[in-house]
């Protein structure tokens, strides 16, 4: 209704598989939660920072929004000294050949409802039971594995908070 600038929620979830609108029948594990975001099945769990920017998009352009989420994910990685690149299809962030962040959005009346999940230091084995985002599960990684040291959820949250302006500034 235009009465709020919105909220950007940063949280860590209990273990859960979510199945987006593009999840193919028979590819989600039993108990997966069907969700309104785009994309396919993925896993969320401890050690992963999930960002839900529930905001009016800065521009009425979904492609611009996906690029902003990718830039945000890349900036978080870069705060740890890593060179990150967006995926070719707008669904995540990679460090080398490893996917460290996944993106899935739902937009209603130009308000975003979902967002980005950045793998900090997590048990990656649940990804092996699915094809996360339609990819080979071996592509999934986390910042701790890439860096060779534990990245705490507090460190990840601090890096994410510092990168939030990338999501909201006008261009």
């Amino acid at each position: 209704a235009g009465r709020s600038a919105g909220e950007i929620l940063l949280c860590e979830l209990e273990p859960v598989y979510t199945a987006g609108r593009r999840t193919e029948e028979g590819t989600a594990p039993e108990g997966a939660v069907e969700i309104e975001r785009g994309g396919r099945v993925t896993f969320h769990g401890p050690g992963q920072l999930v960002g839900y920017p529930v905001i009016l998009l800065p521009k009425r352009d979904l492609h611009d929004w996906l690029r902003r989420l990718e830039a945000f994910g890349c900036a978080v990685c870069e705060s740890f000294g890593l060179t990150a690149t967006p995926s070719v299809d707008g669904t995540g962030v990679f460090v080398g050949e490893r996917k460290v962040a996944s993106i899935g959005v739902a937009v209603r009346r130009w308000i975003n409802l979902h967002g980005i999940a950045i793998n900090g230091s997590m048990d990656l084995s649940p990804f092996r039971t699915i094809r996360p985002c339609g990819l080979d599960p071996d592509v999934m990684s986390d910042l701790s594995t890439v860096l060779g040291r534990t990245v705490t959820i507090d460190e990840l949250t601090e890096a994410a908070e510092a990168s939030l302006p990338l999501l909201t500034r006008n261009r």
Side-chain angles (χ1 to χ4, degrees):
R3 293 188 298 261
S4 169
E7 295 287 331
I8 299 176
L9 308 172
L10 298 173
C11 59
E12 192 177 17
L13 301 176
E14 294 295 320
V16 63
Y17 290 97
T18 61
R21 293 186 313 261
R22 292 189 55 222
T23 301
E24 297 164 359
E25 192 168 327
T27 62
E30 188 174 323
V33 177
E34 290 185 24
I35 198 85
E36 65 188 348
R37 66 162 168 76
R40 298 180 178 150
V41 66
T42 196
F43 174 76
H44 299 293
Q48 179 187 69
L49 184 68
V50 182
Y52 295 102
V54 184
I55 61 173
L56 182 65
L57 299 190
K59 296 171 89 175
R60 288 185 176 220
D61 181 340
L62 189 55
H63 294 289
D64 173 73
W65 180 241
L66 291 172
R67 299 297 84 76
R68 286 172 187 259
L69 285 168
E70 290 169 337
F72 170 79
C74 288
V76 169
C77 292
E78 289 164 6
S79 73
F80 291 96
L82 299 169
T83 301
T85 57
S87 62
V88 297
D89 60 1
T91 63
V93 174
F94 286 75
V95 174
E97 299 295 317
R98 301 291 183 197
K99 187 172 187 179
V100 296
S102 300
I103 295 172
V105 300
V107 175
R108 302 286 181 268
R109 291 181 288 190
W110 300 107
I111 297 171
N112 182 72
L113 303 175
H114 289 270
I116 186 168
I118 304 171
N119 304 336
S121 180
M122 61 185 301
D123 175 6
L124 298 169
S125 65
F127 287 113
R128 292 190 199 104
T129 65
I130 59 172
R131 290 190 54 79
C133 304
L135 300 173
D136 185 302
D138 290 336
V139 76
M140 299 305 293
S141 192
D142 61 14
L143 298 179
S144 293
T145 300
V146 174
L147 286 169
R149 71 165 185 88
T150 300
V151 174
T152 68
I153 201 71
D154 289 339
E155 286 179 284
L156 194 52
T157 301
E158 185 177 322
E161 288 173 343
S163 300
L164 287 176
L166 293 171
L167 297 177
T168 58
R169 73 171 185 237
N170 290 326
R171 292 199 281 183

